[in-house]
Amino acid sequence: MGELARRVPGVRVREEEGAGLRLNIGVRGLDPTRSRRVLLLEDGVPIAINPYGEPDAYYSTPVERIRAIEVVKGSGSILFGPQSVGGVINFLTLSAPSEATVTIDGQLGERLFRRTLVRYGDTVGDTRFVVQAMYKGSEGIRGMSFDVGDFFGKVSFPTSQRGEATVKLSVYSESSGATYVGLTDWMYREDPRRPTLSPDDRFNVHRYDATITHEQQFSSNTKLRTIVFGHITDRVWRRQNYYRPKTDAEVSACPRLEGDPTLSNGTICFIDRSTLRDRKYDVFGVEPVLNTRFETAGVRHTLTLGTRYMTEGSRRRQYVTQTVKSDSGDLADDESHRTHAFAAYAQDRIAFRDWLLVTPGLRLEHADFDRVIGRTSVNGTPTDVGIEGQSSSTSLLPGLGVVLGTPKLNAFAGFYQGFAPPRVSTAITNEGRDAQLGAEQSTNYELGVRAAPARWARVEATLFMMNFQNQLVSGTLASGDESEYVNGGATRHFGGEAAATVKIAKAAKLPFDLDFTAQYTYARATFVGGLFNDHFLPYAPEHSAAAILDFDHPIGAGAQLAWSFTGDQYTNEANSVDPDGSGRIGLIPAYQSIDLALRYHHKKTGLTASLTIKNLLDDVVMVSRRPDGIFTGNFRQITGGLRWEYQVGKKR
């Protein structure tokens, strides 16, 4: 998934566990952690576990379901919400084929990586369908193993002469060794490949999705699209308890000590207990969208009107176990959240001339939050409390886009107001009070040009600026703890991005395909005013780039060489360069990665053989100091695969 997103200028993807199970995406200098400031959609439906109250990407659409990715960074973002301060990424899932098609795909690789996939689709009468089952697993990097199963199905059928409905169902299951504790500075310098410090940590998530989409064409110019959606996510994360010893007595009493005790804050003490973070989330929504085209005084309009109601809830329980591997324990915390949200939006795409397109829009977002704390710690003792609190957030978000020119050469400009409400657990305090946290709002501007001077070349360049009136930040950004958020004040992101695609073989009139694509982003993201005025925001590199060379020959041979680069990053608001002993604070040096993929497709049999090498040079790089210590990127991974696709009735 990350390889696809990196092709888009302004989009940065940070690795987490080396398998791409959870996306960490940042746009134009925004912190990529858990993709909290980017709206992730699947076929137009928000996929966050709770889009308003807890917009963390603990789940991401498996890449095996995806046929295309849409990225919206400009004024068109007002058609979507919430969490639109950084733009929108929409994953489009597989479509049903027009004739019977069967696909069988298998891969094997290092660290016992294995993946199998079976897909079948067909059209029967007026009904089209596709079903897919997938499993993948591995020992993982640094011993953080994973097993993933995914089922996906979609069926489309007519409801009238001009209406069609699509029903999509999916089930996802994952068990992985994800952990929050990383390496200390000493551990990383001694052996960055050392196994995970918490081999008994286990992240289990089960997710069930259902979506019904109905399109009714009233005329050639007017249609109504209605989406009814819902998903349930169960997440249980067992994490071993640990602390960082401060005294010699604590070091001596520690049952398992990791690190160097001679260094300040350089050790971690693990105890024979775990904490179970048991979370259950539910989301339900309905969104009708009307699109119509008409003319007024020779001016062409494309009007989009939409509204959405969404309700979401969560049950958050925390248990303390008696042994590190136990899956049950004593209840320490218990609370529930409920959000009711309403949104309405309108956008008019106005073509004054063939070369002048103006698109104004407006979005209204309102959400009511409820938090009920049934049990929490009082003076260090779990206690039933029965605290309730409410909060609300309302925002009116304008947007405007302008395109001047032709498809071969055009300039564009726009602005929009981004919106992200504060999460429930921070908007309402543990005492049930409204914390008076403002919604995150950003005023986003962009100005750019696109050109296609020849059939074999396309270029694009954009200047951008995002001004946050109030960006919510954690109380101590470098702490590594799951700290509460506070009003962080004003921030500014400005810079530029550029992308180019050159079809080299087409330009030279060669009998094969050879395409080169490159993108570069400069983003200066800083605090404005206050103690840290003009300091860089954490995890906001100034420079990032990527380049891809694709080769495809009619005989069936193909190859791809991909390079990516991420510049230096600070990890706290003070912009500390020197690392501390814990590994949580300090500069993350710039790093790069090279991937290579080879393939051969035999047309007569439908077989495709592939060889993929991720991190070709096997560089070990630091990609994060969050949540609590140093995490490395993926090590070199060599994978071989064989894929068979057969279409009934197709001549080979």
Side-chain angles (χ1 to χ4, degrees):
M1 181 80 76
E3 290 83 351
L4 298 176
R6 286 191 186 99
R7 299 183 180 215
V8 182
V11 175
R12 185 169 71 90
V13 182
R14 191 186 74 208
E15 295 181 23
E16 181 176 343
E17 77 301 301
L21 303 181
R22 278 166 296 285
L23 286 177
N24 293 280
I25 296 180
V27 175
R28 294 175 171 173
L30 290 169
D31 188 341
T33 303
R34 297 277 180 248
S35 304
R36 288 170 182 150
R37 289 179 171 87
V38 179
L39 178 61
L40 300 181
L41 307 174
E42 181 180 309
D43 295 329
V45 174
I47 65 174
I49 49 179
N50 270 176
Y52 283 86
E54 194 166 345
D56 301 272
Y58 286 108
Y59 158 86
S60 301
T61 301
V63 67
E64 291 82 4
R65 289 189 205 166
I66 296 173
R67 61 177 173 85
I69 297 178
E70 293 179 337
V71 179
V72 181
K73 293 176 289 183
S75 60
S77 297
I78 68 163
L79 294 177
F80 310 95
Q83 313 301 338
S84 60
V85 293
V88 181
I89 297 178
N90 187 21
F91 303 117
L92 302 178
T93 59
L94 298 167
S95 299
S98 58
E99 59 185 358
T101 303
V102 59
T103 302
I104 300 175
D105 193 352
Q107 289 182 317
L108 292 174
E110 292 180 286
R111 302 179 191 89
L112 293 181
F113 177 81
R114 62 272 184 198
R115 185 182 75 108
T116 57
L117 179 148
V118 178
R119 181 192 308 147
Y120 180 75
D122 198 1
T123 297
V124 180
D126 293 329
T127 300
R128 297 172 288 115
F129 70 91
V130 60
V131 292
Q132 175 180 284
M134 183 273 297
Y135 164 79
K136 60 184 174 185
S138 172
E139 289 183 341
I141 65 168
R142 299 182 51 233
M144 292 185 288
S145 64
F146 64 87
D147 291 277
V148 174
D150 181 64
F151 170 82
F152 164 84
K154 182 188 288 186
V155 58
S156 300
F157 53 90
T159 57
S160 66
Q161 188 174 0
R162 290 190 169 187
E164 183 180 70
T166 299
V167 178
K168 183 180 68 177
L169 301 173
S170 61
V171 179
Y172 175 88
S173 179
E174 174 194 337
S175 179
S176 64
T179 182
Y180 262 25
V181 58
L183 303 177
T184 66
D185 181 68
W186 176 83
M187 294 176 192
Y188 180 76
R189 287 186 284 107
E190 287 293 309
D191 180 13
R193 297 177 184 266
R194 68 174 294 160
T196 175
L197 301 176
S198 301
D200 295 308
D201 284 7
R202 209 69 198 161
F203 178 89
N204 296 306
V205 61
H206 303 281
R207 183 175 171 107
Y208 312 89
D209 284 85
T211 303
I212 301 174
T213 303
H214 184 264
E215 288 195 5
Q216 183 66 46
Q217 193 82 35
F218 296 109
S219 68
S220 59
N221 293 323
T222 303
K223 71 175 181 179
L224 177 66
R225 183 171 185 257
T226 303
I227 305 177
V228 180
F229 59 90
H231 51 78
I232 297 171
T233 307
D234 293 338
R235 195 208 84 185
V236 179
W237 200 342
R238 184 182 69 199
R239 303 210 300 258
Q240 185 173 3
N241 291 356
Y242 65 92
Y243 64 91
R244 296 181 183 271
K246 304 296 183 183
T247 65
D248 291 340
E250 288 180 333
V251 169
S252 299
C254 178
R256 178 167 77 91
L257 190 70
E258 298 284 354
D260 185 348
T262 66
L263 299 176
S264 175
N265 211 20
T267 56
I268 306 174
C269 178
F270 291 88
I271 61 178
D272 189 27
R273 285 191 177 185
S274 289
T275 298
L276 299 176
R277 292 160 174 84
D278 187 348
R279 310 284 193 258
K280 298 184 184 300
Y281 304 93
D282 64 84
V283 174
F284 171 80
V286 57
E287 182 171 7
V289 183
L290 180 70
N291 287 280
T292 184
R293 297 193 302 268
F294 59 93
E295 287 192 13
T296 58
V299 177
R300 300 189 303 274
H301 299 258
T302 302
L303 180 64
T304 300
L305 299 172
T307 184
R308 185 187 65 205
Y309 168 76
M310 185 188 299
T311 180
E312 61 183 34
S314 65
R315 179 80 181 273
R316 303 158 58 91
R317 287 175 290 188
Q318 197 155 291
Y319 301 87
V320 178
T321 71
Q322 296 303 312
T323 62
V324 68
K325 295 184 178 182
S326 176
D327 288 324
S328 62
D330 300 322
L331 181 63
D333 296 278
D334 187 3
E335 66 176 83
S336 59
H337 303 161
R338 175 60 58 183
T339 301
H340 298 279
F342 172 80
Y345 50 90
Q347 186 181 75
D348 190 7
R349 189 180 183 194
I350 307 170
F352 290 99
R353 297 289 188 272
D354 290 340
W355 47 268
L356 178 58
L357 188 66
V358 179
T359 308
L362 189 66
R363 183 181 187 89
L364 170 69
E365 282 277 3
H366 176 80
D368 293 313
F369 306 102
D370 292 287
R371 184 183 185 190
V372 178
I373 304 174
R375 187 176 179 86
T376 190
S377 178
V378 177
N379 297 323
T381 302
T383 306
D384 293 331
V385 291
I387 298 172
E388 298 185 22
Q390 292 81 36
S391 181
S392 65
S393 177
T394 303
S395 292
L396 192 61
L397 312 168
L400 177 68
V402 178
V403 179
L404 182 68
T406 67
K408 285 191 174 182
L409 177 62
N410 64 78
F412 59 92
F415 89 93
Y416 79 96
Q417 195 89 29
F419 167 78
R423 58 183 55 210
V424 176
S425 59
T426 56
I428 303 167
T429 70
N430 290 339
E431 292 76 33
R433 294 182 291 102
D434 187 334
Q436 300 299 314
L437 291 183
E440 284 185 290
Q441 289 193 0
S442 63
T443 304
N444 300 15
Y445 305 90
E446 66 175 10
L447 175 66
V449 61
R450 301 185 187 97
R455 297 180 61 184
W456 46 265
R458 186 174 67 251
V459 295
E460 177 179 330
T462 307
L463 298 174
F464 61 83
M465 183 167 67
M466 295 189 293
N467 288 322
F468 279 82
Q469 293 83 4
N470 179 53
Q471 187 167 160
L472 298 185
V473 298
S474 61
T476 307
L477 289 172
S479 70
D481 297 330
E482 296 177 273
S483 56
E484 295 296 329
Y485 283 70
V486 297
N487 289 320
T491 63
R492 179 181 298 124
H493 304 239
F494 76 89
E497 57 194 35
T501 298
V502 180
K503 297 181 180 295
I504 300 171
K506 179 176 285 189
K509 298 182 179 180
L510 299 174
F512 52 83
D513 292 329
L514 183 63
D515 301 339
F516 176 74
T517 302
Q519 65 94 350
Y520 166 75
T521 300
Y522 172 78
R524 183 178 175 85
T526 59
F527 292 96
V528 178
L531 180 63
F532 301 109
N533 180 51
D534 209 35
H535 283 212
F536 286 95
L537 270 67
Y539 293 92
E542 278 192 280
H543 307 279
S544 60
I548 298 171
L549 186 65
D550 267 313
F551 168 77
D552 197 14
H553 197 281
I555 66 171
Q560 181 184 95
L561 185 66
W563 168 81
S564 64
F565 170 82
T566 302
D568 294 342
Q569 303 169 67
Y570 296 106
T571 56
N572 67 343
E573 66 273 40
N575 289 181
S576 303
V577 174
D578 296 331
D580 75 337
S582 72
R584 296 177 293 189
I585 297 175
L587 185 74
I588 295 180
Y591 59 88
Q592 60 184 337
S593 180
I594 298 176
D595 300 334
L596 175 65
L598 305 173
R599 62 186 180 275
Y600 177 76
H601 176 66
H602 191 255
K603 293 183 179 180
K604 288 187 177 181
T605 61
L607 287 171
T608 301
S610 64
L611 177 68
T612 302
I613 307 176
K614 299 291 182 65
N615 190 4
L616 181 67
L617 303 181
D618 198 24
D619 292 328
V620 181
V621 299
M622 182 192 309
V623 297
S624 178
R625 294 181 181 271
R626 285 182 179 171
D628 197 0
I630 296 172
F631 287 84
T632 65
N634 200 7
F635 307 148
R636 181 166 54 204
Q637 176 76 33
I638 302 175
T639 304
L642 190 63
R643 179 187 182 94
W644 179 64
E645 184 171 295
Y646 178 72
Q647 289 182 302
V648 177
K650 182 176 180 179
K651 295 182 180 180
R652 298 187 180 275

